[in-house]
Amino acid sequence: MSKRNFTNLNMNPCKMCMPMGAAIAFKGIEGCMMLLHGSQGCSTYIRRHIATHYNEPMDIASSSLNEKGTIYGGARDLKKGLKNLIKLYNPQIIGISTTCLAETIGEDIDNIVKDFIEEENIKDIQFITASTPGYGGSHYEGYYYALRKIVEHQTNISYPNNTLNIIVGNISPANVRQIKKWLKDFGIQYTLLPDISNTLDAPFNNSYKKITPGGTSLEDIKKMSGAKATIEIGLFVPEKYSPGKYLEDTYGVPLYRCPLPIGIENTDYFFNILSEISEKEIPQEYLEERGRMLDAMIDSHKYNSEGKATIFGDPEIVYAITKLCMENGIEPRIVATGTKSDLLKKMLIEDLCQKNYNSVVLENADFDTIHSYIKKNSINLLIGHSDGKFIEEKENIPLIRIGFPIHDRVGGQRLLTIGYEGSTRLLDTITNTLLQRKYSSYRSDLYRRYYLTSVDYSELK
Amino acid sequence: MTNHENFKTLDERKESIICNSKFENRNIKCDTNSVSGAVSQRACVYCGARVVLNPITDAYHIVHGPIGCASYTWDIRGSLSSGEEVYRNSFSTDLREQDIIFGGEKKLSNAIDEIVNRYNPKLIFVYATCVVGVIGDDIEAVCKRAQEKYGIEIIPVQSSGFAGNKKSGYKAGCNAILNLISRYPKHKKEFGINYLGDFNLAGEIWIIKNYLKKIGVPIITKLTGDSSFEEITKATKASLNIVQCAGSMVYLAKQLEKKYGIPYIKVSFVGIEDTINSLRNIAKQLGNKEVIDNVEKFISVQKKKFEKELSYYKKRLYGKSAAIYVGGGFKAISLIKQFKELGMKTVMVGTQTGSQDEYDLIKSLTDEGTVILDDANPTELEMFIKEKGADVLVGGVKERPLAYKLGIAFFDHNHERKHPLSGFEGAINFAKELDITVNSPVWEYVKKEGEKDVKKKFYKFEYESV
Ligand code: SF4
Ligand code: SF4
């Protein structure tokens, strides 16, 4: 049931490649500039993709491997690239990832970088490497893996401190700002990784900087090994890619893994963890927000009952939105991710069965397969990133855009969808989409159904 | 570099930047590989090949490689179709670790089988991406075997990203088309032309097709906007090739001339002046008296029709200055001319893949002091936009956020566009979009941000007493 239509083909991909995720992760580190070791095209495509979602300049250098570098090894190009990058950007940190090409020809970036540091006698720049062959996984894994490498590289045994580590998934800058506000309101000192709240959503001012201010500082990252706990938003991250797991295994920092706080249960869970860690009650403000969310759920429950949704995107967002839908009586008929994740599938099926939904769950899927299931089911809502636009157009089913990437609408970076407030906004959008459909068609529907079909009186006799 | 001696860019890049000046006759360095670490705005060979071939509406495009290359190029271009929509899908062999180790030929050949079993393809293109070039998959052999098995056209495109730049990709795309054409017998010549180098973005080909119809010139084959397998195989019937996007398609035109004796001329339907010249030129080349007369009639009618609207925009744009950073030299040249038509001046011109003679022409078309750059990076763009005080930047998707962060207007000149820029209609759209962005009210507020005095920054409301 969960197979793709094609075995040897991915038709209309529902995922991106590893270095894409790494690029977003590095963008959340203060003073950091990224270089992709490999061919020029990958870095340009990734820049383009990120730039259209966030509407922010996104500079990623490339070592621009050509035929020579590919045959004889790319050390020369990588070193030259680093040198040029330093001249142009003067960064404090350089994140270095690889593309498929560099990995295939067996480049040892750690060693090349080590040589480079020695040869150039560099003292004041940190280099963080993360091998991210595009064929090794999707952007989802690339994102967490880069974060893990950052943590591995920058932490040592340190004194216990009173901070909380919070590792956020690939969420919008607006959502990151929201989490920061919660932590502040709980009076929690924290290190949030990666902090893209400003770097990928910078306010306009007249002094544009090539390396946008903001991001998690190295100083804070160093403290992570002595933190009192780590919250990692990322339920489905394989352990080998998980920064939180590393901190737990290496320094004994207790790890709380949690889903994206979307929907009432997930948000409750998140706030309970905050309350437990801070040993403080949940602030009144949020209790009220929660109450308002319940109020909204009541207000719209009848309309929502008509929803039959297809949900797609990264594992985290798919899981959280499916829960939001179930809580509100919206049927998640088809749930799909392009990333490989048996765990997601298992957990979703359990949750869905519990609520008596007989949904289709797809992992490692492509849009072709998702599309063919949509045709077989009467779906009236698509919820996911903007690559679903193709199905929206062909099947004339509205698409609610959430997640990454959103290319054909503005404001992806400003979408607030987490917590009680964010979930309520998202829920309203879903409900209103259903209402719009209803209002724009019920007159003609009823006319067709009852006026145009004549009653068969023979049945009455 | 006369007056920019001390600007901050990489030494390797200095030769690729010149300033238009009487005292400067150094040639610009262009058509080379990008400098490592310089943050080039260029894409890759594969990208170039995809630009050329993707608009063929009934072709199946299989990207042989890991997922990213296909994912980032899925349906991102605005080529329209009047027929099939197969080309809007993205097929990838989605190579994984295992395939990289053991080779991907088997997967590719199975993939072709699967497409043939599910659909009824007539034409399949198989693109090689970077890793495929390295792991040594013989895509030519796979395509050949499959072709013999199924009796359909399966054409390999040698587009490994690292083996050259976007321009080599154009060539790879053109070679694939030639490959296809050469598989069919040479046709007898007819009165009619092939139109090369228009990808039917926002229906641009349809506009030009209508013009040509009005002047009595049939199009035999469109390459490649809104084209199809059948149509391409008929290309040898044409008595003339006209080439619009010279950067990508002159190579093909030259080959068609050499192999099939079809002469070609370069045309441009961007801007009113170019459109008029091109129509006249086509008529002249065809040497048909009736067509020549029709062209003059058509031009005078069109001119009248659009003159008034255009003069409205001219007034609003007069004296503004523009910076250009686009893909090809041909595009840049048309833009400079269009700005001239509108009474604007061009203060910076850069391209990703311009050639030496295109840069020479650019130099002759622009004024003293204009900065000209090849394969520029964001640092250079920022610097010259600021230094030259440009009011608007023309560029693609990646350049847009930069312009906005610098607080200047932006004109979208990319392959995604949703409004045509060709012909008379296009010239109006061009002026209109410029007006919208250059004269937008938002800049008034944005400018205030720069003022130091905070009091001035906030808007004062004055209440009148009742
Ligand atoms: S999948 Fe590999 S080759 Fe393709 S864009 Fe991603 S890193 Fe580059
Ligand atoms: S792997 Fe090669 S072909 Fe694919 S996007 Fe990168 S440079 Fe282009």
Side-chain angles (χ1 to χ4, degrees), chain A residues 27 29-36 40 43 47 56-62 80-95 124-125 127 208-213, chain B residues 8-10 13 35-41 375-383 398 402:
Chain A
K27 193 73 187 177
I29 310 299
E30 190 180 54
C32 181
M33 175 67 190
M34 187 197 195
L35 184 140
L36 256 180
Q40 174 65 46
S43 111
R47 288 175 61 202
E56 292 284 325
M58 181 72 195
D59 294 359
I60 300 174
S62 164
K80 192 168 149 200
L82 288 171
K83 226 166 141 177
N84 284 337
L85 165 67
I86 293 168
K87 260 191 239 160
L88 285 176
Y89 288 82
N90 194 20
Q92 289 164 263
I93 305 169
I94 301 178
D124 47 0
I125 302 174
F127 294 82
Y208 167 67
K209 299 252 172 3
K210 271 187 303 209
I211 295 185
T212 329
Chain B
K8 203 181 160 213
T9 191
L10 305 168
R13 290 273 321 134
V35 176
S36 309
V39 195
S40 159
Q41 310 284 88
D375 192 15
N377 59 43
T379 310
E380 293 159 7
L381 295 179
E382 180 193 342
M383 185 173 59
K398 289 184 303 296
L402 177 65

Side-chain angles (χ1 to χ4, degrees), chain B residues 46 49 53 59-65 91 93 108-109 111-112 115 123-129 132 137-140 142-144 146 153-160 172 176:
Chain B
Y46 158 71
L53 297 174
Y60 289 75
H61 300 268
I62 303 182
V63 185
H64 186 37
F91 297 90
T93 46
L108 174 61
S109 106
I112 296 174
I115 287 196
L123 174 61
I124 299 177
F125 290 108
V126 175
Y127 298 82
T129 61
V132 169
D137 280 5
D138 186 350
I139 66 163
E140 306 253 352
V142 174
C143 291
K144 198 158 165 237
E153 306 299 350
I154 304 180
I155 296 178
V157 188
Q158 293 300 354
S159 52
S160 267

